[in-house]
Amino acid sequence: MSSETTVECPMNALLRILMGPWTSYILWTLRQQGPQRFGVLKRLIPGISSRVLTERLRMLGDAGVVHREPLMTIPPQVTYSLTQRGAELSPVLDALDALARKWSEEDVRAGRAFAQPASAGPEKTTVLATAA
C-alpha cells in the first residue's frame, strides 16, 4: 500500500483565510485605523456581531495575520493589530480597493447596482469602495 500525502495549494489556504465572512472588512479596518480594542473595532464595522468578530479575530490570530494584545486591567482590555504577515496583505487590499472602486464607477455609469452576492449585505460589499 502506498501512502498518499495531501498537499494543499498555498493559494487555496490563503484565499480561505481572506474570503471568510467579514474578514476583508476586519483586515481593511485594522490596516486603515491601526491597532484597535475589540469594542472600537466592533463599532467601526457596522452590522458585525460580537460572536462573528470574535470568531474572525481568533481565526486571523491562528493564521498569524492578527496579533492579540491582552492587558491585565479591570475590566480586561484587548487590542488587536496586524502582524507582519497581516501587513504583507496591504498590496492585496489596495488592489482589491482599486478594483472595487473601478467596478463601482463602471456600474454607476451603466446604471446598474454594484454587483454583490444575494447573501451579502451592503456593509460587506461597500467596505473597499468607501474606505480610505
Side-chain angles (χ1 to χ4, degrees), residues 23 26 28 32 42 47 49 52 55 57 62 64-65 70 73 92 100 108 110 115:
T23 302
I26 293 166
W28 183 260
Q32 293 297 104
K42 187 175 182 309
S49 70
V52 171
E55 288 173 359
L57 288 169
D62 291 345
V65 176
T73 59
V92 174
V108 167

Side-chain angles (χ1 to χ4, degrees), residues 16-33:
R16 283 193 297 130
I17 292 168
L18 295 178
M19 296 302 130
W22 296 99
T23 302
S24 60
Y25 205 147
I26 293 166
L27 292 170
W28 183 260
T29 301
L30 288 172
R31 180 180 181 278
Q32 293 297 104
Q33 304 291 327

